Amino acid sequence: MMNRVCLMAATTAILTFFKAQVAFAHTVSYDFTVDVTSGPLAGERYIGLTSVDVTNLLKESYETVRPTSIIFDFGGITFTDDNDVLDIDANSPKVNFQDGQFMGITYIVSRLGNNPAEIPLINDVAVDGFAIDNNEFGYVVGANLYRGDTINHALPPNSTSPNRQSVPEPSVWLGFATVGCGCWLTRRLG
């Protein structure tokens, strides 16, 4: 009996390690710059970064993917994907693709809504909320909406392709578990 358990464990280990392949998660990060051209913040420039896992992107028609992270420096205040209002209609936050090409992000932060955020004064202006929708930026001050400001997206400097991160194939873990169980049974029966 002990020889069969050892043989099974050894066979599984050999098959697992020779057949195992490493899977890769494709995480792409995009810098974005907001140039404000309207309202009390006109002339200001704000920067951000969004990262997205594009492993399962079909590259057909219009697709949206949840970002792995969003970081936006708005007037010296850092906002993240955790600050998004989680709007049901806009399905935010999300990263938008058309035929596999990055179009931009949909990201909404507000003092009101499902997930209200504390927005301190931005350059001495009481901003009630802001939104990024692909290449447009808008913000609200009191009852006034300022929009039409431009957003430029780019891969970070020195980056020409997605960041490949190795992810262990599930069969590797199965092999380790089988070898461990085989060793345990060997000791238990022997």
Side-chain angles (χ1 to χ4, degrees):
M1 176 74 170
M2 190 164 60
N3 288 339
R4 286 184 189 166
V5 172
C6 288
L7 181 62
M8 182 180 70
T11 303
T12 302
I14 290 169
L15 290 175
T16 299
F17 291 112
F18 284 111
K19 295 234 179 204
Q21 297 176 359
V22 176
F24 286 96
H26 294 274
T27 302
V28 181
S29 296
Y30 294 92
D31 290 331
F32 60 92
T33 305
V34 175
D35 291 312
V36 181
T37 58
S38 61
L41 298 177
E44 296 294 326
R45 174 176 271 188
Y46 304 107
I47 58 169
L49 175 78
T50 186
S51 297
V52 61
D53 180 356
V54 295
T55 304
N56 297 319
L57 199 63
L58 299 175
K59 299 182 182 178
E60 297 174 0
S61 67
Y62 186 78
E63 296 178 89
T64 62
V65 180
R66 287 272 179 214
T68 54
S69 71
I70 296 175
I71 300 170
F72 181 51
D73 182 357
F74 186 44
I77 310 301
T78 300
F79 293 93
T80 69
D81 45 313
D82 291 335
N83 299 119
D84 189 276
V85 297
L86 308 173
D87 188 271
I88 295 170
D89 295 328
N91 194 25
S92 66
K94 65 182 177 182
V95 182
N96 307 304
F97 291 89
Q98 179 70 44
D99 298 323
Q101 296 298 312
F102 178 80
M103 301 299 293
I105 63 173
T106 300
Y107 177 59
I108 305 166
V109 175
S110 174
R111 291 180 192 262
L112 308 170
N114 299 331
N115 186 25
E118 182 61 37
I119 304 175
L121 292 176
I122 307 293
N123 298 344
D124 297 323
V125 176
V127 175
D128 294 312
F130 62 87
I132 297 172
D133 190 25
N134 291 338
N135 292 322
E136 284 192 49
F137 177 79
Y139 64 102
V140 176
V141 176
N144 298 316
L145 170 64
Y146 301 98
R147 58 180 276 191
D149 304 322
T150 58
I151 300 175
N152 296 306
H153 302 92
L155 288 169
N158 301 323
S159 175
T160 57
S161 64
N163 177 19
R164 295 169 56 97
Q165 300 172 348
S166 63
V167 177
E169 191 67 32
S171 61
V172 171
W173 297 113
L174 176 63
F176 285 139
T178 304
V179 169
C181 287
C183 290
W184 179 78
L185 277 174
T186 303
R187 286 186 184 160
R188 182 113 170 130
L189 296 174

